Amino acid sequence: MLQALTIKQFAIIESLEINFSGGLTVLSGETGAGKSIIIDAIGQLVGARASQSFVRHGEQKAIIEGVFDIDNVPNVNKILSELDIDFDEDFLFVKREIFASGKSICKLNNQNVTLSDLKIVMQELLDIHGQHETQILLKPKYHLSLLDDYADGTYQAEIDQYDETFQSYRLKKQELEKLESQDQALLQRLDLIKFQRDELQDANLKEDEIDFLNQEIKKLQNHEKINESLNKAHMLLSSEENITDKIYELNQEIQHINDIIPDKYTAFSEELDQMYYTLEDYKHELYNELTSNDFDESLLNEYESRLNVLTDLNRKYGKSIPELIKYRDKIDDEIYKIENYEQSTSQLREEINDLHTNVVKYGEALSAKRRQVALNLRDRLVEEVQNLHMQDANIEITFTKTKPTQYGLEEVEFLISPNKGEPLKSLNKIASGGELSRIMLALKSIFVSSKGQTAILFDEVDTGVSGRVAQKMAEKMHQIAQTLQVICISHLPQVAAISDNHLYIAKETVNDRTTTSIKQLDGEDKIDEIARMISGVEVTELTRQHAKEMIIQNKNLK
């Protein structure tokens, strides 16, 4: 339940604080006073799209804060725990800041959350009904989702099974269509990739070959320099006073010391000994390298030619050698598939036929479940609309078979016959504005009883009705308010008269700026407002008396 709402710098609202109670709360006031703006502000708390136009002119940001009682909503506590949000077991503080730049910040209990997480939490608490939602009734494509929503997971397993199978079926069909549409193009591509495959295979590519060639070419090109250095290095190790002899002599002297002072320089002696034998080994290695390092011009030409081939391939394909090796293997697979095109398409068709069989099987199972739920929804809907002064109305939920779609094997449409003797027709062909309002209210009264939400907001759901119909709708909203909080914008005196709480929204000018104010109406103030709603222009003693009678009459109905 929404307990408190604070709105700052939002549209024409400078600052507004509203305390809400349970039951039915009615917001009334002149057109343009800001009633729908309050609903828009609440909409921001449940995750509606933010807009910089919501920020009051000249201000940096708009702020909307709400306090919700979540004591009896275990789902919310569970979701908050999953989102790792600290919460009091009784209350949830929701905040939305909208900046003039268009950006917005969402907070739950003063912790930043994403807009999607905000929506997940708030859909468990609050449902907002506006004029757009009523218009959805006129579009049959939304009727199936209404039915599935009413089912509330009854056949979710069937939906999931059908959807998984249908998606596989759809992807296989797309694969086959792509193959068939590219028949000629595939043949042309086959010629191209065969040439590429042969060229790359003939090249006998090796992953690290370019590095090897560069190293060997550099070695051959610097043959004389290498030999010169090899010769000098060998001479240093082989001359009469060479390094190894000096190290040997040094080690002898160190060992003499060790003979006198045991273990004094044992480690040093061992290192010198190791160094001596290492240098001796390198002396022989340098000699062998020097005698074998012959210049081979033909080998240099061979290496340079091979490097040019690899460089050209690299430039031609725009890929490195390792990438070319992977590409060669990839087009090998592609060549196989294209050359076995008939086999591939034949196998695909078999897979598609098998999947289609399963799509139909799972779709029919889903359809059977939907039809069962539709019968129940239809009976409840007829009962509700008949209670809303459409005693002779009849409603049917029809199923029309279609090709498999992502939603199932049929289209669903709500048909209505508002009066006895009239045939069932589409809502968009027969229902008036008042009838649509009643059907939507009937749906809402059914849906809220099956959901765990604690509050519902109606933005002029009573449009297009008056008289006895208006009274019936008022009674229905009050009935809904017995189980959850109802907040309603209404121009109907019948709804205001039966309300548990009445808030009057007014527009005024303060310091040359238009702003919205709110006032709790009780007693004579409430009578005056209902009288204004009855007369529309001037409040007379007669309309005030009528307003009193309506309030008394509705008290007796409660």
Side-chain angles (χ1 to χ4, degrees), residues 470-514:
Q471 181 62 36
K472 285 289 184 181
M473 291 191 71
E475 292 171 9
K476 175 55 65 178
M477 280 189 271
H478 191 269
Q479 179 187 334
I480 297 172
Q482 302 310 300
T483 55
L484 76 166
Q485 180 187 41
V486 176
I487 301 171
C488 174
I489 289 179
S490 180
H491 295 287
L492 294 178
Q494 293 90 338
V495 178
I498 205 171
S499 67
D500 301 300
N501 312 285
H502 192 157
L503 300 175
Y504 179 71
I505 314 300
K507 184 168 63 175
E508 57 187 357
T509 302
V510 178
N511 297 327
D512 294 327
R513 290 293 303 272
T514 300

mmCIF file of all heavy atoms in Angstrom, residues 470-514:
data_model
loop_
_atom_site.group_PDB
_atom_site.id
_atom_site.type_symbol
_atom_site.label_atom_id
_atom_site.label_comp_id
_atom_site.label_asym_id
_atom_site.label_seq_id
_atom_site.Cartn_x
_atom_site.Cartn_y
_atom_site.Cartn_z
ATOM 1 N N ALA A 470 -22.622 4.624 -13.709
ATOM 2 C CA ALA A 470 -21.585 5.246 -12.896
ATOM 3 C C ALA A 470 -21.656 4.749 -11.451
ATOM 4 O O ALA A 470 -20.629 4.479 -10.819
ATOM 5 C CB ALA A 470 -21.709 6.758 -12.938
ATOM 6 N N GLN A 471 -22.889 4.588 -10.951
ATOM 7 C CA GLN A 471 -23.054 4.092 -9.587
ATOM 8 C C GLN A 471 -22.535 2.661 -9.459
ATOM 9 O O GLN A 471 -21.844 2.308 -8.503
ATOM 10 C CB GLN A 471 -24.532 4.140 -9.183
ATOM 11 C CG GLN A 471 -24.822 3.675 -7.761
ATOM 12 C CD GLN A 471 -24.137 4.535 -6.719
ATOM 13 O OE1 GLN A 471 -24.002 5.752 -6.884
ATOM 14 N NE2 GLN A 471 -23.665 3.906 -5.641
ATOM 15 N N LYS A 472 -22.804 1.842 -10.462
ATOM 16 C CA LYS A 472 -22.334 0.460 -10.440
ATOM 17 C C LYS A 472 -20.802 0.396 -10.474
ATOM 18 O O LYS A 472 -20.178 -0.412 -9.784
ATOM 19 C CB LYS A 472 -22.913 -0.310 -11.627
ATOM 20 C CG LYS A 472 -24.376 -0.683 -11.475
ATOM 21 C CD LYS A 472 -24.536 -1.764 -10.416
ATOM 22 C CE LYS A 472 -25.987 -2.226 -10.322
ATOM 23 N NZ LYS A 472 -26.162 -3.263 -9.276
ATOM 24 N N MET A 473 -20.216 1.263 -11.306
ATOM 25 C CA MET A 473 -18.759 1.277 -11.380
ATOM 26 C C MET A 473 -18.156 1.771 -10.070
ATOM 27 O O MET A 473 -17.113 1.270 -9.627
ATOM 28 C CB MET A 473 -18.296 2.154 -12.544
ATOM 29 C CG MET A 473 -18.626 1.563 -13.901
ATOM 30 S SD MET A 473 -17.822 2.419 -15.274
ATOM 31 C CE MET A 473 -16.110 1.940 -15.074
ATOM 32 N N ALA A 474 -18.801 2.743 -9.452
ATOM 33 C CA ALA A 474 -18.336 3.245 -8.159
ATOM 34 C C ALA A 474 -18.367 2.122 -7.122
ATOM 35 O O ALA A 474 -17.425 1.935 -6.344
ATOM 36 C CB ALA A 474 -19.195 4.422 -7.713
ATOM 37 N N GLU A 475 -19.464 1.370 -7.124
ATOM 38 C CA GLU A 475 -19.591 0.268 -6.174
ATOM 39 C C GLU A 475 -18.536 -0.802 -6.442
ATOM 40 O O GLU A 475 -18.000 -1.418 -5.506
ATOM 41 C CB GLU A 475 -21.001 -0.330 -6.255
ATOM 42 C CG GLU A 475 -22.087 0.620 -5.740
ATOM 43 C CD GLU A 475 -23.493 0.118 -6.028
ATOM 44 O OE1 GLU A 475 -23.630 -1.043 -6.476
ATOM 45 O OE2 GLU A 475 -24.446 0.874 -5.813
ATOM 46 N N LYS A 476 -18.236 -1.059 -7.723
ATOM 47 C CA LYS A 476 -17.221 -2.054 -8.059
ATOM 48 C C LYS A 476 -15.845 -1.606 -7.567
ATOM 49 O O LYS A 476 -15.073 -2.405 -7.021
ATOM 50 C CB LYS A 476 -17.195 -2.296 -9.574
ATOM 51 C CG LYS A 476 -16.100 -3.216 -10.071
ATOM 52 C CD LYS A 476 -16.112 -4.572 -9.390
ATOM 53 C CE LYS A 476 -17.355 -5.373 -9.709
ATOM 54 N NZ LYS A 476 -17.315 -6.720 -9.064
ATOM 55 N N MET A 477 -15.514 -0.324 -7.770
ATOM 56 C CA MET A 477 -14.219 0.160 -7.304
ATOM 57 C C MET A 477 -14.132 0.088 -5.783
ATOM 58 O O MET A 477 -13.087 -0.251 -5.221
ATOM 59 C CB MET A 477 -13.975 1.588 -7.799
ATOM 60 C CG MET A 477 -13.498 1.639 -9.241
ATOM 61 S SD MET A 477 -12.976 3.278 -9.764
ATOM 62 C CE MET A 477 -14.525 3.935 -10.341
ATOM 63 N N HIS A 478 -15.258 0.379 -5.117
ATOM 64 C CA HIS A 478 -15.257 0.293 -3.656
ATOM 65 C C HIS A 478 -15.114 -1.156 -3.203
ATOM 66 O O HIS A 478 -14.460 -1.452 -2.205
ATOM 67 C CB HIS A 478 -16.546 0.897 -3.095
ATOM 68 C CG HIS A 478 -16.496 1.080 -1.603
ATOM 69 N ND1 HIS A 478 -16.926 0.119 -0.729
ATOM 70 C CD2 HIS A 478 -16.019 2.108 -0.847
ATOM 71 C CE1 HIS A 478 -16.742 0.545 0.514
ATOM 72 N NE2 HIS A 478 -16.191 1.743 0.468
ATOM 73 N N GLN A 479 -15.707 -2.070 -3.982
ATOM 74 C CA GLN A 479 -15.580 -3.495 -3.666
ATOM 75 C C GLN A 479 -14.124 -3.938 -3.786
ATOM 76 O O GLN A 479 -13.606 -4.662 -2.927
ATOM 77 C CB GLN A 479 -16.459 -4.313 -4.609
ATOM 78 C CG GLN A 479 -16.370 -5.815 -4.383
ATOM 79 C CD GLN A 479 -17.120 -6.598 -5.448
ATOM 80 O OE1 GLN A 479 -18.058 -6.104 -6.065
ATOM 81 N NE2 GLN A 479 -16.708 -7.832 -5.669
ATOM 82 N N ILE A 480 -13.450 -3.507 -4.857
ATOM 83 C CA ILE A 480 -12.031 -3.831 -5.027
ATOM 84 C C ILE A 480 -11.224 -3.269 -3.866
ATOM 85 O O ILE A 480 -10.280 -3.886 -3.376
ATOM 86 C CB ILE A 480 -11.505 -3.276 -6.366
ATOM 87 C CG1 ILE A 480 -12.217 -3.933 -7.548
ATOM 88 C CG2 ILE A 480 -9.992 -3.461 -6.494
ATOM 89 C CD1 ILE A 480 -11.890 -3.316 -8.900
ATOM 90 N N ALA A 481 -11.623 -2.082 -3.396
ATOM 91 C CA ALA A 481 -10.890 -1.398 -2.329
ATOM 92 C C ALA A 481 -11.013 -2.104 -0.988
ATOM 93 O O ALA A 481 -10.325 -1.731 -0.028
ATOM 94 C CB ALA A 481 -11.369 0.048 -2.206
ATOM 95 N N GLN A 482 -11.886 -3.118 -0.904
ATOM 96 C CA GLN A 482 -11.975 -3.867 0.345
ATOM 97 C C GLN A 482 -10.781 -4.800 0.521
ATOM 98 O O GLN A 482 -10.474 -5.216 1.641
ATOM 99 C CB GLN A 482 -13.277 -4.697 0.365
ATOM 100 C CG GLN A 482 -14.546 -3.887 0.204
ATOM 101 C CD GLN A 482 -14.606 -2.687 1.147
ATOM 102 O OE1 GLN A 482 -14.567 -2.847 2.365
ATOM 103 N NE2 GLN A 482 -14.689 -1.495 0.587
ATOM 104 N N THR A 483 -10.136 -5.148 -0.597
ATOM 105 C CA THR A 483 -9.007 -6.077 -0.521
ATOM 106 C C THR A 483 -7.663 -5.416 -0.817
ATOM 107 O O THR A 483 -6.625 -5.966 -0.470
ATOM 108 C CB THR A 483 -9.209 -7.257 -1.491
ATOM 109 O OG1 THR A 483 -9.419 -6.752 -2.816
ATOM 110 C CG2 THR A 483 -10.410 -8.088 -1.076
ATOM 111 N N LEU A 484 -7.688 -4.285 -1.500
ATOM 112 C CA LEU A 484 -6.435 -3.572 -1.746
ATOM 113 C C LEU A 484 -6.724 -2.079 -1.913
ATOM 114 O O LEU A 484 -7.863 -1.681 -2.146
ATOM 115 C CB LEU A 484 -5.716 -4.105 -2.983
ATOM 116 C CG LEU A 484 -6.220 -3.738 -4.378
ATOM 117 C CD1 LEU A 484 -5.162 -4.080 -5.405
ATOM 118 C CD2 LEU A 484 -7.484 -4.484 -4.722
ATOM 119 N N GLN A 485 -5.698 -1.294 -1.767
ATOM 120 C CA GLN A 485 -5.834 0.157 -1.874
ATOM 121 C C GLN A 485 -6.166 0.551 -3.312
ATOM 122 O O GLN A 485 -5.546 0.073 -4.255
ATOM 123 C CB GLN A 485 -4.524 0.807 -1.443
ATOM 124 C CG GLN A 485 -4.518 2.337 -1.499
ATOM 125 C CD GLN A 485 -3.117 2.884 -1.229
ATOM 126 O OE1 GLN A 485 -2.136 2.335 -1.723
ATOM 127 N NE2 GLN A 485 -3.017 3.925 -0.435
ATOM 128 N N VAL A 486 -7.162 1.426 -3.470
ATOM 129 C CA VAL A 486 -7.540 1.930 -4.786
ATOM 130 C C VAL A 486 -7.417 3.451 -4.768
ATOM 131 O O VAL A 486 -7.988 4.118 -3.904
ATOM 132 C CB VAL A 486 -8.973 1.534 -5.186
ATOM 133 C CG1 VAL A 486 -9.349 2.161 -6.524
ATOM 134 C CG2 VAL A 486 -9.103 0.017 -5.266
ATOM 135 N N ILE A 487 -6.653 3.986 -5.720
ATOM 136 C CA ILE A 487 -6.539 5.436 -5.898
ATOM 137 C C ILE A 487 -7.087 5.745 -7.285
ATOM 138 O O ILE A 487 -6.679 5.128 -8.263
ATOM 139 C CB ILE A 487 -5.075 5.893 -5.771
ATOM 140 C CG1 ILE A 487 -4.525 5.521 -4.397
ATOM 141 C CG2 ILE A 487 -4.958 7.402 -5.999
ATOM 142 C CD1 ILE A 487 -3.026 5.742 -4.252
ATOM 143 N N CYS A 488 -7.998 6.685 -7.359
ATOM 144 C CA CYS A 488 -8.712 6.888 -8.615
ATOM 145 C C CYS A 488 -8.899 8.372 -8.921
ATOM 146 O O CYS A 488 -9.327 9.145 -8.066
ATOM 147 C CB CYS A 488 -10.080 6.193 -8.521
ATOM 148 S SG CYS A 488 -11.166 6.498 -9.917
ATOM 149 N N ILE A 489 -8.556 8.748 -10.156
ATOM 150 C CA ILE A 489 -8.932 10.071 -10.658
ATOM 151 C C ILE A 489 -10.315 9.930 -11.273
ATOM 152 O O ILE A 489 -10.534 9.068 -12.128
ATOM 153 C CB ILE A 489 -7.942 10.566 -11.711
ATOM 154 C CG1 ILE A 489 -6.613 10.917 -11.063
ATOM 155 C CG2 ILE A 489 -8.484 11.787 -12.447
ATOM 156 C CD1 ILE A 489 -5.571 11.394 -12.031
ATOM 157 N N SER A 490 -11.243 10.752 -10.843
ATOM 158 C CA SER A 490 -12.612 10.607 -11.349
ATOM 159 C C SER A 490 -13.304 11.961 -11.416
ATOM 160 O O SER A 490 -13.038 12.868 -10.624
ATOM 161 C CB SER A 490 -13.410 9.659 -10.440
ATOM 162 O OG SER A 490 -14.722 9.505 -10.914
ATOM 163 N N HIS A 491 -14.200 12.058 -12.418
ATOM 164 C CA HIS A 491 -15.075 13.227 -12.519
ATOM 165 C C HIS A 491 -16.504 12.866 -12.133
ATOM 166 O O HIS A 491 -17.409 13.685 -12.284
ATOM 167 C CB HIS A 491 -15.054 13.773 -13.953
ATOM 168 C CG HIS A 491 -13.715 14.318 -14.372
ATOM 169 N ND1 HIS A 491 -13.221 15.515 -13.893
ATOM 170 C CD2 HIS A 491 -12.769 13.816 -15.198
ATOM 171 C CE1 HIS A 491 -12.026 15.730 -14.428
ATOM 172 N NE2 HIS A 491 -11.724 14.711 -15.217
ATOM 173 N N LEU A 492 -16.699 11.640 -11.654
ATOM 174 C CA LEU A 492 -18.051 11.173 -11.328
ATOM 175 C C LEU A 492 -18.367 11.420 -9.859
ATOM 176 O O LEU A 492 -17.638 10.968 -8.968
ATOM 177 C CB LEU A 492 -18.179 9.680 -11.628
ATOM 178 C CG LEU A 492 -18.084 9.260 -13.096
ATOM 179 C CD1 LEU A 492 -18.174 7.751 -13.211
ATOM 180 C CD2 LEU A 492 -19.184 9.930 -13.918
ATOM 181 N N PRO A 493 -19.475 12.093 -9.579
ATOM 182 C CA PRO A 493 -19.865 12.312 -8.181
ATOM 183 C C PRO A 493 -20.171 10.999 -7.466
ATOM 184 O O PRO A 493 -19.978 10.898 -6.256
ATOM 185 C CB PRO A 493 -21.103 13.200 -8.294
ATOM 186 C CG PRO A 493 -21.620 13.003 -9.680
ATOM 187 C CD PRO A 493 -20.419 12.737 -10.516
ATOM 188 N N GLN A 494 -20.658 9.996 -8.200
ATOM 189 C CA GLN A 494 -20.962 8.704 -7.574
ATOM 190 C C GLN A 494 -19.706 8.076 -6.973
ATOM 191 O O GLN A 494 -19.755 7.486 -5.890
ATOM 192 C CB GLN A 494 -21.577 7.743 -8.608
ATOM 193 C CG GLN A 494 -22.949 8.157 -9.114
ATOM 194 C CD GLN A 494 -22.878 9.035 -10.337
ATOM 195 O OE1 GLN A 494 -21.850 9.682 -10.588
ATOM 196 N NE2 GLN A 494 -23.963 9.107 -11.096
ATOM 197 N N VAL A 495 -18.577 8.171 -7.702
ATOM 198 C CA VAL A 495 -17.329 7.605 -7.203
ATOM 199 C C VAL A 495 -16.823 8.398 -6.006
ATOM 200 O O VAL A 495 -16.376 7.832 -5.007
ATOM 201 C CB VAL A 495 -16.268 7.584 -8.323
ATOM 202 C CG1 VAL A 495 -14.935 7.046 -7.795
ATOM 203 C CG2 VAL A 495 -16.739 6.731 -9.494
ATOM 204 N N ALA A 496 -16.929 9.724 -6.088
ATOM 205 C CA ALA A 496 -16.474 10.565 -4.983
ATOM 206 C C ALA A 496 -17.310 10.319 -3.732
ATOM 207 O O ALA A 496 -16.794 10.302 -2.610
ATOM 208 C CB ALA A 496 -16.547 12.033 -5.390
ATOM 209 N N ALA A 497 -18.612 10.113 -3.930
ATOM 210 C CA ALA A 497 -19.513 9.942 -2.793
ATOM 211 C C ALA A 497 -19.253 8.649 -2.038
ATOM 212 O O ALA A 497 -19.445 8.579 -0.816
ATOM 213 C CB ALA A 497 -20.964 9.978 -3.273
ATOM 214 N N ILE A 498 -18.820 7.614 -2.752
ATOM 215 C CA ILE A 498 -18.596 6.312 -2.095
ATOM 216 C C ILE A 498 -17.167 6.167 -1.594
ATOM 217 O O ILE A 498 -16.838 5.180 -0.930
ATOM 218 C CB ILE A 498 -18.940 5.168 -3.073
ATOM 219 C CG1 ILE A 498 -19.326 3.902 -2.302
ATOM 220 C CG2 ILE A 498 -17.798 4.891 -4.042
ATOM 221 C CD1 ILE A 498 -19.874 2.792 -3.173
ATOM 222 N N SER A 499 -16.329 7.146 -1.870
ATOM 223 C CA SER A 499 -14.911 7.034 -1.510
ATOM 224 C C SER A 499 -14.712 7.062 -0.007
ATOM 225 O O SER A 499 -15.496 7.646 0.746
ATOM 226 C CB SER A 499 -14.116 8.178 -2.159
ATOM 227 O OG SER A 499 -14.498 9.418 -1.598
ATOM 228 N N ASP A 500 -13.633 6.434 0.425
ATOM 229 C CA ASP A 500 -13.245 6.475 1.840
ATOM 230 C C ASP A 500 -12.418 7.717 2.129
ATOM 231 O O ASP A 500 -12.405 8.209 3.258
ATOM 232 C CB ASP A 500 -12.432 5.225 2.187
ATOM 233 C CG ASP A 500 -13.205 3.944 1.932
ATOM 234 O OD1 ASP A 500 -14.263 3.768 2.551
ATOM 235 O OD2 ASP A 500 -12.755 3.138 1.100
ATOM 236 N N ASN A 501 -11.711 8.189 1.097
ATOM 237 C CA ASN A 501 -10.878 9.390 1.233
ATOM 238 C C ASN A 501 -11.043 10.213 -0.032
ATOM 239 O O ASN A 501 -11.101 9.671 -1.134
ATOM 240 C CB ASN A 501 -9.403 9.018 1.397
ATOM 241 C CG ASN A 501 -9.195 7.925 2.436
ATOM 242 O OD1 ASN A 501 -9.285 8.163 3.621
ATOM 243 N ND2 ASN A 501 -8.924 6.706 1.964
ATOM 244 N N HIS A 502 -11.089 11.536 0.139
ATOM 245 C CA HIS A 502 -11.307 12.422 -1.007
ATOM 246 C C HIS A 502 -10.248 13.523 -0.982
ATOM 247 O O HIS A 502 -10.140 14.281 -0.014
ATOM 248 C CB HIS A 502 -12.705 13.037 -0.942
ATOM 249 C CG HIS A 502 -13.113 13.717 -2.212
ATOM 250 N ND1 HIS A 502 -14.429 13.931 -2.551
ATOM 251 C CD2 HIS A 502 -12.391 14.242 -3.232
ATOM 252 C CE1 HIS A 502 -14.488 14.546 -3.723
ATOM 253 N NE2 HIS A 502 -13.253 14.760 -4.139
ATOM 254 N N LEU A 503 -9.460 13.592 -2.044
ATOM 255 C CA LEU A 503 -8.429 14.619 -2.157
ATOM 256 C C LEU A 503 -8.792 15.548 -3.306
ATOM 257 O O LEU A 503 -9.073 15.085 -4.418
ATOM 258 C CB LEU A 503 -7.057 13.977 -2.413
ATOM 259 C CG LEU A 503 -6.551 12.997 -1.343
ATOM 260 C CD1 LEU A 503 -5.252 12.358 -1.797
ATOM 261 C CD2 LEU A 503 -6.353 13.719 -0.017
ATOM 262 N N TYR A 504 -8.745 16.842 -3.024
ATOM 263 C CA TYR A 504 -9.079 17.835 -4.048
ATOM 264 C C TYR A 504 -7.786 18.461 -4.576
ATOM 265 O O TYR A 504 -6.958 18.966 -3.817
ATOM 266 C CB TYR A 504 -9.987 18.916 -3.475
ATOM 267 C CG TYR A 504 -10.345 19.984 -4.480
ATOM 268 C CD1 TYR A 504 -11.213 19.712 -5.528
ATOM 269 C CD2 TYR A 504 -9.805 21.272 -4.374
ATOM 270 C CE1 TYR A 504 -11.543 20.682 -6.459
ATOM 271 C CE2 TYR A 504 -10.130 22.253 -5.307
ATOM 272 C CZ TYR A 504 -10.996 21.942 -6.346
ATOM 273 O OH TYR A 504 -11.319 22.914 -7.274
ATOM 274 N N ILE A 505 -7.618 18.407 -5.896
ATOM 275 C CA ILE A 505 -6.427 18.952 -6.546
ATOM 276 C C ILE A 505 -6.791 20.294 -7.178
ATOM 277 O O ILE A 505 -7.760 20.388 -7.936
ATOM 278 C CB ILE A 505 -5.904 17.999 -7.644
ATOM 279 C CG1 ILE A 505 -5.862 16.559 -7.139
ATOM 280 C CG2 ILE A 505 -4.536 18.450 -8.122
ATOM 281 C CD1 ILE A 505 -4.985 16.334 -5.951
ATOM 282 N N ALA A 506 -5.995 21.297 -6.862
ATOM 283 C CA ALA A 506 -6.271 22.638 -7.385
ATOM 284 C C ALA A 506 -5.003 23.234 -7.988
ATOM 285 O O ALA A 506 -3.886 22.872 -7.629
ATOM 286 C CB ALA A 506 -6.791 23.545 -6.275
ATOM 287 N N LYS A 507 -5.219 24.153 -8.921
ATOM 288 C CA LYS A 507 -4.103 24.857 -9.553
ATOM 289 C C LYS A 507 -4.175 26.308 -9.117
ATOM 290 O O LYS A 507 -5.249 26.917 -9.148
ATOM 291 C CB LYS A 507 -4.219 24.717 -11.074
ATOM 292 C CG LYS A 507 -3.069 25.334 -11.840
ATOM 293 C CD LYS A 507 -3.103 24.908 -13.312
ATOM 294 C CE LYS A 507 -4.351 25.405 -14.013
ATOM 295 N NZ LYS A 507 -4.331 25.084 -15.462
ATOM 296 N N GLU A 508 -3.042 26.878 -8.715
ATOM 297 C CA GLU A 508 -3.026 28.262 -8.267
ATOM 298 C C GLU A 508 -1.743 28.945 -8.724
ATOM 299 O O GLU A 508 -0.778 28.290 -9.126
ATOM 300 C CB GLU A 508 -3.147 28.320 -6.741
ATOM 301 C CG GLU A 508 -2.066 27.545 -6.016
ATOM 302 C CD GLU A 508 -2.314 27.478 -4.516
ATOM 303 O OE1 GLU A 508 -3.298 28.076 -4.056
ATOM 304 O OE2 GLU A 508 -1.519 26.838 -3.820
ATOM 305 N N THR A 509 -1.763 30.283 -8.677
ATOM 306 C CA THR A 509 -0.600 31.066 -9.079
ATOM 307 C C THR A 509 0.050 31.675 -7.856
ATOM 308 O O THR A 509 -0.594 32.368 -7.067
ATOM 309 C CB THR A 509 -1.008 32.177 -10.057
ATOM 310 O OG1 THR A 509 -1.631 31.585 -11.203
ATOM 311 C CG2 THR A 509 0.212 32.963 -10.505
ATOM 312 N N VAL A 510 1.339 31.382 -7.684
ATOM 313 C CA VAL A 510 2.100 31.915 -6.554
ATOM 314 C C VAL A 510 3.369 32.546 -7.107
ATOM 315 O O VAL A 510 4.161 31.873 -7.773
ATOM 316 C CB VAL A 510 2.448 30.800 -5.539
ATOM 317 C CG1 VAL A 510 3.284 31.369 -4.403
ATOM 318 C CG2 VAL A 510 1.193 30.128 -5.023
ATOM 319 N N ASN A 511 3.553 33.821 -6.844
ATOM 320 C CA ASN A 511 4.738 34.546 -7.343
ATOM 321 C C ASN A 511 4.892 34.397 -8.853
ATOM 322 O O ASN A 511 5.980 34.079 -9.361
ATOM 323 C CB ASN A 511 6.001 34.065 -6.624
ATOM 324 C CG ASN A 511 5.969 34.360 -5.142
ATOM 325 O OD1 ASN A 511 5.413 35.370 -4.701
ATOM 326 N ND2 ASN A 511 6.563 33.459 -4.363
ATOM 327 N N ASP A 512 3.773 34.564 -9.556
ATOM 328 C CA ASP A 512 3.747 34.517 -11.027
ATOM 329 C C ASP A 512 4.115 33.142 -11.583
ATOM 330 O O ASP A 512 4.496 33.023 -12.743
ATOM 331 C CB ASP A 512 4.689 35.572 -11.632
ATOM 332 C CG ASP A 512 4.207 36.988 -11.335
ATOM 333 O OD1 ASP A 512 2.974 37.177 -11.266
ATOM 334 O OD2 ASP A 512 5.062 37.868 -11.165
ATOM 335 N N ARG A 513 4.025 32.091 -10.746
ATOM 336 C CA ARG A 513 4.259 30.723 -11.220
ATOM 337 C C ARG A 513 3.052 29.860 -10.892
ATOM 338 O O ARG A 513 2.504 29.932 -9.788
ATOM 339 C CB ARG A 513 5.508 30.106 -10.563
ATOM 340 C CG ARG A 513 6.826 30.699 -11.001
ATOM 341 C CD ARG A 513 7.168 30.410 -12.453
ATOM 342 N NE ARG A 513 7.207 29.017 -12.776
ATOM 343 C CZ ARG A 513 8.284 28.224 -12.655
ATOM 344 N NH1 ARG A 513 9.414 28.741 -12.182
ATOM 345 N NH2 ARG A 513 8.242 26.968 -13.029
ATOM 346 N N THR A 514 2.671 29.044 -11.858
ATOM 347 C CA THR A 514 1.549 28.135 -11.634
ATOM 348 C C THR A 514 2.043 26.915 -10.862
ATOM 349 O O THR A 514 3.097 26.359 -11.157
ATOM 350 C CB THR A 514 0.953 27.665 -12.974
ATOM 351 O OG1 THR A 514 0.498 28.804 -13.690
ATOM 352 C CG2 THR A 514 -0.210 26.708 -12.760
#
